Amino acid sequence: GFWAGGALLLVEVLASDFRGDLGAVANLARSGLDVYAHNVETVERLQGTVRDRRAGYQQSLETLRHAKRARPGLYTKTSMMLGLGETDDEVKRAMHDIRAAGVDILTFGQYLQPSTMHLQVQEYVHPDKFAFWQEYGEREVGFRFVPSGPLVRSSYKAGEFFVEHMIRADRATGGP
């Protein structure tokens, strides 16, 4: 991060999977950024329906895993949309897969159909379910932070305060 006027400015990059080019992932991870973000988007079963077919679940996990390998201690982040027809078991499995890739921060938001040309919403997830995923992710799976709510997006600004303080505390104690 950079200091400006006494404030820590965090650099978070939302990156593609570089079509599996792990050298490109490593170069970006070592560039001096604070948070390497790449979105998994949805559970494994729905990847081919929701995402560009050139982007895959395992490739996304490997992108996040490799960013962490390239620069140990780098914070990694991903996001998932809910309401696309995923099951609770699929979400749990995805959470465990994502955490096994070393990801620190996972956000959950409600999928909203941007146009009639896009997939239809299958379910409007209740706020209590979003609260459940946050609790489950932080307490059971071990994520550092799980912003989760209908209006949360991968660029969730309200989480920046938490992430800034997490990074400051880790740096002060010699942590990640």
Side-chain angles (χ1 to χ4, degrees):
F2 302 96
W3 291 96
L8 175 64
L9 297 177
L10 300 178
V11 177
E12 177 179 321
V13 174
L14 177 58
S16 74
D17 61 9
F18 296 106
R19 294 189 181 181
D21 181 348
L22 298 181
V25 172
N27 285 339
L28 181 57
R30 295 182 187 127
S31 69
L33 55 87
D34 297 293
V35 180
Y36 189 110
H38 170 73
N39 292 340
V40 171
E41 303 288 1
T42 189
V43 299
E44 187 170 21
R45 176 179 59 85
L46 297 173
Q47 290 283 314
T49 305
V50 172
R51 300 175 76 192
D52 182 322
R53 293 196 185 276
R54 293 170 293 184
Y57 184 76
Q58 293 301 328
Q59 186 164 292
S60 287
L61 292 175
E62 186 56 27
T63 295
L64 291 158
R65 186 179 294 111
H66 194 71
K68 192 73 101 167
R69 273 196 305 255
R71 188 169 138 222
L74 177 65
Y75 296 93
T76 52
K77 174 181 170 183
T78 196
S79 298
M80 292 182 64
M81 299 176 291
L82 300 178
L84 288 160
E86 66 285 334
T87 68
D88 286 358
D89 285 343
E90 288 174 320
V91 173
K92 286 179 179 180
R93 178 173 173 228
M95 292 174 80
H96 286 280
D97 289 348
I98 292 165
R99 186 65 192 117
V103 174
D104 302 290
I105 302 164
L106 170 62
T107 71
F108 284 110
Q110 171 68 52
Y111 171 70
L112 298 172
Q113 184 180 10
S115 77
T116 57
M117 302 298 290
H118 290 81
L119 294 171
Q120 289 186 336
V121 174
Q122 298 299 308
E123 174 190 10
Y124 287 100
V125 179
H126 193 277
D128 290 348
K129 182 60 112 181
F130 280 106
F132 169 81
W133 290 127
Q134 178 174 3
E135 177 85 8
Y136 181 80
E138 291 175 359
R139 295 190 189 262
E140 301 296 324
V141 184
F143 288 101
R144 298 283 303 271
F145 185 39
V146 182
S148 180
L151 301 179
V152 170
R153 296 295 174 255
S154 63
S155 59
Y156 189 56
K157 298 298 182 194
E160 289 179 0
F161 179 78
F162 176 86
V163 173
E164 177 182 341
H165 287 281
M166 178 179 72
I167 290 173
R168 282 181 191 250
D170 285 350
R171 289 181 181 166
T173 61

